[in-house]
Amino acid sequence: MPRARPHSPHRPEPLALVRQVVAGNPAAWQRFVESHLGFLHALAWRYARGDQDLAEELCLVALEGLRRPDAEGRGCYRLRRFLESREQLGTRSRFTTWLALVAKNLFRDWFREREGRRHLPREIEGLAPLGQEVFRALFWQGLTEAEAWGQLHTHRPGLGPAEFEAAVAAVYGALRARDLWTIYQDLLRRLPAVSLDAPLGGPDGPHLQLADPDPVHRPDARLLRAEEHAEAERLRSLLAEGLASLPAATRQVVQLLVFRGLDGDQVRRVMGFRTRQRVYDEMARARRRLRTWLGRRGLGAEALEAALADLGACAEPREGPGSRSGGGGRLDGNVGRDGSGGPGSESEGGDA
Amino acid sequence: MTCLSAEELAALFDGRLPQARAAQGRSHLAGCPRCAGEIQRLSEALQDAARQDALRPSAELLAQAVALGHPGVRPVAAEVPARPVPADTRAAPNERK
Ligand SMILES: [Zn+2]
């Protein structure tokens, strides 16, 4: 029986095994399953939200996805593509990184297919099919707007960003009276959702993940109050402008570290920096510049401090599920600390 | 530039994409919500998975998963989207049936 393991950068690349699986060797498949089922299960767990049966189902969904043949009937086309890309394009990721990415997409597709059978709210039924799909993605699957774009874009090759934006606007327009205030409350509480490339934020925290029960019908949904909406909107656009004024590399560090929630080491690798210190230096620079930028534009000291504290808090390593938007940490105080990649999470007793 | 493939995204994430392509990838990432979202989800998935060390898949799940690899047991169709595997695949043919 395989042990579930944390993602470890030090495990050897199981490429030989992948090649044997692609070649159709059943014994290799068994060893492949034994090596990776624990990891898949750990990945599936968050999507299953503690539902053990669902987590197991998702594991099988992912494994079937890995075995699925291409249009010409050649087996395991995803694994085959992984190997080919590695050889031809030099995409030398760890196998488990790739596996996590692919599994997550297979989970997402499975949820999407399942949710497609649910009944749409009346406001949304009146929208064009694209709008309905956008609604499903944002509110049933709990995807970020960016994720929704990715998903729809993949399945509708002709879809342009403008058309997508219009559909998103139509969805928010249809929901305005009932739910927008709740969405903006989320956005204000969690400034990371304010980003250049995902203008409307949205319910994208780990706890509003895929299987979230229809948030449109949450009991606390209230009417949007116009002046608070306007204030949120003003803060959002000021921040967006301030971010746009940063040097490209600095802005990208902010995007990855704060808005995308990568940890310092992950940001270092994506950016191609040699040291993690560089990541934090860029972040400190962003804070300085934003403070000046927002201050000059008359953003109240209180809101400004809240914004900056959130920026700092989110740059701190996340300790556990849900701690993302917790207390006001100081970015400058945690240089050199990093919680990911290592075998740091010992027995926490599975919180089933 | 077109969006990054899953292979490219994973390699960029690990810092294992050839340099020129990595630079292109980063500038693409800055302007593409789809790819940036992919990186974000990947990071979240890995960070969460790393916290789930105490969980173990059941022996039953392992058996079902291994059975996917036996030819003829459960052919996986190319066109049909992935479905949950119902309990009936638990008993592979030629065993307990
Ligand atoms: Zn892209």
Side-chain angles (χ1 to χ4, degrees), chain A residues 1-7 29-30 33 37 39 42-43 45-46 56-57 60-61 63-64 67-69 81-82 85 89-94 97-98 100-101 104-105 108 110 144 146-147 149-150 197 204 209 252 260-263 266 269-272 318-319 321 324 345 348 350, chain B residues 3 5-18 26-27 29-30 32-34 36-62 64-71 74 76-78 80-85:
Chain A
M1 171 131 140
R3 282 194 68 232
R5 278 176 286 212
H7 181 69
W29 174 253
Q30 172 152 3
V33 167
L37 187 60
F39 180 59
L43 285 171
W45 192 251
R46 88 189 221 110
E56 300 208 341
E57 213 164 271
L60 294 169
V61 164
L63 289 167
E64 284 196 335
R67 289 197 64 81
R68 192 160 305 138
R81 207 175 48 195
F82 169 78
S85 173
L89 303 175
T91 52
R92 307 182 69 81
S93 71
R94 299 194 280 261
T97 302
W98 176 88
L101 186 65
K104 146 194 114 47
N105 289 341
R108 184 188 66 189
W110 182 83
T144 62
E147 277 272 313
W149 160 252
D197 53 15
D204 65 345
Q209 201 60 42
Q252 190 155 31
R260 298 297 178 184
L262 272 62
D263 67 38
Q266 291 169 341
R269 287 196 296 265
V270 171
M271 294 303 295
R318 281 181 277 155
E319 304 284 325
R324 170 192 282 227
S345 52
E348 287 189 296
Chain B
C3 283
S5 68
E7 290 72 29
E8 288 172 321
L9 280 168
L12 180 62
F13 185 84
D14 279 347
R16 307 277 293 273
L17 197 58
R26 278 191 291 275
S27 70
L29 210 59
C32 176
R34 174 199 183 262
E38 286 290 282
I39 291 279
Q40 173 183 346
R41 295 288 166 188
L42 176 57
S43 167
E44 288 171 2
L46 289 171
Q47 292 180 42
D48 277 5
R51 285 192 285 265
Q52 301 299 345
D53 195 26
L55 294 171
R56 301 283 182 278
S58 68
E60 192 180 72
L61 173 64
L62 178 61
Q64 282 180 279
V66 168
L68 292 175
H70 293 314
R74 186 186 162 76
V76 183
V80 179
R83 305 307 307 260
V85 177

Side-chain angles (χ1 to χ4, degrees), chain A residues 275-320:
Chain A
T275 64
R276 197 168 57 207
Q277 183 59 44
R278 170 86 189 277
V279 173
Y280 296 117
D281 289 347
E282 294 290 350
M283 193 59 213
R285 185 215 300 245
R287 284 171 59 89
R288 278 197 309 274
R289 292 227 188 175
L290 279 178
R291 185 180 291 126
T292 311
W293 173 276
L294 294 174
R296 268 208 305 263
R297 275 150 191 83
L299 194 64
E302 198 179 285
L304 175 60
E305 278 316 308
L308 293 174
D310 262 2
L311 284 178
C314 292
E316 204 159 28
R318 281 181 277 155
E319 304 284 325

Side-chain angles (χ1 to χ4, degrees), chain A residues 145-288:
Chain A
E145 213 174 301
E147 277 272 313
W149 160 252
Q151 181 170 291
L152 294 173
H153 183 63
T154 312
H155 290 85
R156 291 171 164 253
L159 180 65
E163 199 187 344
F164 174 76
E165 292 289 345
V168 171
V171 166
Y172 280 89
L175 296 173
R176 188 166 296 276
R178 225 161 70 182
D179 201 51
L180 259 192
W181 173 239
T182 313
I183 291 166
Y184 273 100
Q185 283 292 88
D186 278 354
L187 186 134
L188 274 181
R189 206 166 37 243
R190 303 171 47 257
L191 275 177
V194 183
S195 104
L196 286 177
D197 53 15
L200 285 167
D204 65 345
H207 298 282
L208 288 172
Q209 201 60 42
L210 301 168
D212 198 38
D214 193 354
V216 171
H217 300 301
R218 275 186 305 209
D220 65 339
R222 274 170 296 170
L223 289 183
L224 175 67
R225 277 185 286 168
E227 69 274 19
E228 279 162 322
H229 179 181
E231 183 55 28
E233 192 54 44
R234 195 172 83 89
L235 181 56
R236 181 185 75 74
S237 68
L238 274 176
L239 269 176
E241 281 175 39
L243 285 166
S245 75
L246 298 174
T250 308
R251 182 169 64 241
Q252 190 155 31
V253 167
V254 175
Q255 283 179 326
L256 294 172
L257 195 67
V258 180
F259 300 146
R260 298 297 178 184
L262 272 62
D263 67 38
D265 225 33
Q266 291 169 341
V267 174
R268 177 186 68 73
R269 287 196 296 265
V270 171
M271 294 303 295
F273 294 161
R274 276 190 49 245
T275 64
R276 197 168 57 207
Q277 183 59 44
R278 170 86 189 277
V279 173
Y280 296 117
D281 289 347
E282 294 290 350
M283 193 59 213
R285 185 215 300 245
R287 284 171 59 89
R288 278 197 309 274

